[in-house]
Amino acid sequence: MTTHPTPPAPVPVTPPAPAPATLAATRERLWAALDARDEHAAAATVFAARDAGIPVEDLLLDVIGPVQAKVGREWAAGRLTVAQEHAVTAIQDRVIAALAHRIPGPRPAGGPTGGRVTVACVDGEWHALPARLLAEVLRGRGFTVDYLGAQVPTPHLIAHLHQNGSDTVALSSSLPVRLPTAHAAITAVQAVGLPVLVGGAAFGPDGRYARLLGADGWAPDARAAADLLAVGLRRPGDAPSTPEQGLPHLLDQEYTLVTRTRVQLTRDVLAGLEAKVPAMAAYSAQQRDRTAEDIAHIVDFLAASLYTDDAELFVGFLSWTAGILRARGVPVGALLAALDLLADAQRDFPRARAHLAAGHRALTRIPTPPTPGPHA
């Protein structure tokens, strides 16, 4: 009998990574199209890059994602209005949707093999593009994905899981003020026996708040999230809880009381500012409303820092806000005055006063930009 050697199994061919210069040029073209609010040119740029061989995942994470980050920086610098930022983001979302319908490459035999993942933003979180990018990356890697989009109330998320099933839930949040809501969502999902992966700027650059809130996993970006999900997360109860997952500092009720009095605190600080800052007498109704919104944001971030017991969360927000104000030619004096007024209102709350003092120190260390000279 003649035997024949068994042919070796085919080895998957991984396409070469696109050159950095190619990705950079694609980003520049995409930004130019978005800056002109030209949706057709934006889509044409992305499709041409795909036809030239750039993998869909690289287009999503090395082109569209970084360009969206630039959109945020341009808004922060005052070079894009809120309406323009929304228009650009909407174009990006439609381009992603169109790209998702183009076959990204060979699918695993028999269909998706990576399991079922539910991807959602926590309640109150409107920045959905990071979650959308993750959903498309996971689909490209063979997962079945239920993408629920922005601002998903926790009861609706749990109802979806009961009705449709899932192996894992991936939650996204960009704003730290949503951390208490994220905590509630994490706990609720784990209560139905599913592990939770979290990501987004809200959880800190090193995932510190993900660990604090007891998430089963954290990823700094979509690639890392997909890699982690491919390995699998521990289900709730597989590993013992650690002390850092508790929040014993909440027993002092400071977070609860600041949250409950948010509206009154905002009104009191606004009234105090009007008495301390003479220039506010000339504010229009719109400027006054905007100032009230800014004060409310300060109170919200103070509450979030109390929830996590991390003053650096509050300091980071104030430093970012000071940069926004400077970019718009607004002095930070009113911001310092608002912190003083809040501190007066929190005289019985030692943690809140400590966080406000840390914020005040950080703002006073920010150098005042020089006044432009006659030749500037």
Side-chain angles (χ1 to χ4, degrees), residues 117-119 157 161 166-171 189 194-198 233:
V117 181
T118 297
V119 179
L157 172 62
L161 296 175
S166 191
D167 297 308
T168 310
V169 175
L171 294 176
V189 172
L194 295 179
V196 182
L197 175 69
V198 300
L233 297 177

Side-chain angles (χ1 to χ4, degrees), residues 128-349:
L129 202 70
R132 180 65 182 275
L133 291 172
L134 172 62
E136 298 309 330
V137 167
L138 291 175
R139 286 193 181 105
R141 293 200 187 187
F143 288 85
T144 298
V145 179
D146 291 331
Y147 171 64
L148 306 187
Q151 186 167 296
V152 181
T154 298
H156 293 262
L157 172 62
I158 299 304
H160 171 84
L161 296 175
H162 282 305
Q163 293 167 5
N164 300 280
S166 191
D167 297 308
T168 310
V169 175
L171 294 176
S172 175
S173 184
S174 297
L175 297 174
V177 294
R178 306 302 176 206
L179 286 173
T181 304
H183 192 191
I186 291 168
T187 303
V189 172
Q190 291 173 336
V192 301
L194 295 179
V196 182
L197 175 69
V198 300
F203 296 98
D206 57 356
R208 68 183 69 176
Y209 306 129
R211 295 187 292 274
L212 179 71
L213 304 184
D216 301 290
W218 167 80
D221 54 49
R223 279 197 180 92
D227 291 343
L228 192 56
L229 290 173
V231 175
L233 297 177
R234 287 179 178 269
R235 287 183 175 270
D238 289 351
S241 61
T242 60
E244 66 179 347
Q245 292 178 354
L247 288 83
H249 52 270
L250 294 181
L251 294 174
D252 64 14
Q253 296 293 300
E254 289 196 25
Y255 163 76
T256 301
L257 292 172
V258 167
T259 302
R260 286 179 180 173
T261 59
R262 174 183 183 269
V263 174
Q264 190 60 48
L265 277 174
T266 301
R267 290 173 179 167
D268 291 346
V269 172
L270 181 60
L273 281 179
E274 289 174 332
K276 293 180 67 172
V277 182
M280 288 187 64
Y283 275 19
S284 65
Q286 183 179 14
Q287 288 174 311
R288 191 178 185 278
D289 290 344
R290 186 65 179 271
T291 302
E293 290 176 3
D294 291 340
I295 296 170
H297 288 317
I298 294 172
V299 175
D300 288 341
F301 272 86
L302 174 62
S305 73
L306 292 172
Y307 194 88
T308 59
D309 198 30
D310 187 355
E312 287 303 311
L313 187 157
F314 187 58
V315 169
F317 163 72
L318 290 177
S319 300
W320 176 82
T321 300
I324 298 293
L325 294 175
R326 288 178 57 183
R328 288 156 175 74
V330 179
V332 299
L335 189 56
L336 288 167
L339 295 183
D340 291 337
L341 290 164
L342 273 173
D344 290 341
Q346 307 299 309
R347 64 178 64 90
D348 296 326
F349 298 162

Side-chain angles (χ1 to χ4, degrees), residues 11-91:
V11 177
V13 178
T14 302
T22 301
L23 293 172
T26 306
R27 287 193 294 268
E28 290 178 4
R29 288 192 290 272
L30 178 58
W31 168 250
L34 293 172
D35 194 32
R37 256 70 75 199
D38 189 337
E39 182 171 339
H40 294 289
T45 295
V46 173
F47 293 159
R50 175 70 190 107
D51 293 341
I54 297 181
V56 168
E57 185 169 310
D58 292 336
L59 284 172
L60 291 169
L61 304 184
D62 297 325
V63 175
I64 294 174
V67 169
Q68 187 64 25
K70 181 174 181 176
V71 172
R73 292 193 299 271
E74 291 294 298
W75 171 82
R79 291 188 288 267
L80 282 181
T81 66
V82 171
Q84 289 170 334
E85 181 271 327
H86 285 188
V88 169
T89 301
I91 292 173

